[in-house]
Amino acid sequence: MKVAFCTQDMQHVDAHFGWARNIAVYEVDPAGYRFLETFQFGGSMFEDGNEDKLVPKLEAIGDCAIVYLSAIGASAAARVVAKKIHPVKVEATEPITALLDRLLTTINANPPPWLRKALANGETRTIDFDDEED
């Protein structure tokens, strides 16, 4: 599954969703994680009520299962959840790698139902018709 992190410095989750200059995306599975790409944003990000600034961010995280952020407005949260992306608010500035390590621990222990579903959605399902009985 893909996981997004709202960040200003590319090291920590230190950004409000609407104000994030960068969104770093990682691929995560039970075996580990790897960096995929960074989406960068500019313009009038600090303007409250400017819903247009959310459109490119929502497009960037469209195939992510989770987005970590320091804060998110109600309107943006509703739009994120409508895309079936789970927003996770981080109380303090935390390193992205620490959050990834914690996520891996949860995945490999006893993940909550929403996380199991996100992991299952990230897997490619194949059906081998030769294994079916006649």
Side-chain angles (χ1 to χ4, degrees):
M1 73 177 169
K2 290 184 180 179
V3 180
F5 298 87
C6 294
T7 179
Q8 305 296 45
D9 68 2
M10 295 302 299
Q11 302 298 314
H12 300 88
V13 174
D14 58 359
H16 183 288
F17 182 73
W19 300 351
R21 292 192 187 283
N22 305 294
I23 296 180
V25 178
Y26 287 75
E27 180 71 34
V28 180
D29 62 39
Y33 56 84
R34 68 183 176 91
F35 174 77
L36 290 179
E37 62 186 313
T38 299
F39 295 97
Q40 296 182 316
F41 306 95
S44 59
M45 296 178 300
F46 301 105
E47 200 176 310
D48 281 339
N50 179 4
E51 298 292 317
D52 292 340
K53 70 183 176 192
L54 300 177
V55 173
K57 291 178 180 174
L58 291 165
E59 289 174 1
I61 66 168
D63 59 350
C64 292
I66 303 170
V67 59
Y68 284 85
L69 37 79
S70 65
I72 188 168
S75 172
R79 292 170 75 176
V80 166
V81 170
K83 289 188 164 287
K84 302 198 184 314
I85 302 166
H86 189 84
V88 177
K89 184 178 176 193
V90 177
E91 293 300 326
T93 300
E94 291 195 52
I96 292 170
T97 54
L99 293 165
L100 284 163
D101 290 339
R102 237 182 317 182
L103 180 59
L104 276 178
T105 299
T106 302
I107 288 170
N108 287 306
N110 187 19
W114 69 267
L115 186 52
R116 283 196 301 270
K117 184 176 180 183
L119 284 165
N121 286 343
E123 294 177 6
T124 304
R125 294 183 58 192
T126 58
I127 299 172
D128 188 349
F129 292 104
D130 292 336
D131 288 342
E132 290 186 3
E133 293 182 24
D134 291 328

